[in-house]
Amino acid sequence: VEGLNLTRAFAHSSGTVRKAPHCSVRQAGQIVCSTEGHARGGSSLWEAMFHIPIHNWAKDSVLKFEVKDKGNGMMEDDRMLGDCKMDVRQFVDDSLHCLTIPLENVSTGSII
């Protein structure tokens, strides 16, 4: 997982920006995996590969990726920078795929 062009997403978040984004993956509303926050300016290379089993193709096939800026961990929650969804039914062949998916709810930014 890699974040691209997140600089404008930082500019649109409210308050002080820590620029340590992280990415969480949700399946059926539950977080199934996430990366650590890493500061790298407008792009973040999390170097994370996830194996997410799909038990029910009818309801578990859509993954939601959320990119957030790290909160201070005490009284401040993580700030949403953008998110996107992907239906994994197109990848049933079990091979490795590399995609660039634009983030929604933000003017620029994507994940690979």
Side-chain angles (χ1 to χ4, degrees), residues 59-87:
K59 77 172 195 181
D60 295 341
S61 64
V62 176
L63 300 179
K64 181 178 182 181
F65 295 83
E66 299 175 335
V67 178
K68 296 181 179 182
D69 189 22
K70 212 60 152 160
N72 66 14
M74 295 171 15
M75 296 182 60
E76 184 179 83
D77 291 333
D78 296 353
R79 274 186 235 119
M80 178 68 77
L81 296 177
D83 60 11
C84 59
K85 293 179 182 174
M86 179 177 65
D87 190 335

Side-chain angles (χ1 to χ4, degrees), residues 29 32 42 56 64 77 96 107 112:
V32 291
N56 182 337
K64 181 178 182 181
D77 291 333
L96 186 62
S107 61
I112 295 179

Side-chain angles (χ1 to χ4, degrees), residues 7-52:
T7 304
R8 286 203 183 134
F10 291 131
H12 289 91
S13 66
S14 60
T16 304
V17 179
R18 289 174 171 64
K19 295 187 181 182
H22 64 283
C23 182
S24 298
V25 182
R26 290 183 180 268
Q27 181 183 41
Q30 300 295 314
I31 293 178
V32 291
C33 49
S34 60
T35 67
E36 295 292 323
H38 292 289
R40 279 191 68 196
S43 296
S44 289
L45 181 61
W46 295 294
E47 296 182 347
M49 185 177 287
F50 303 118
H51 177 76
I52 303 169

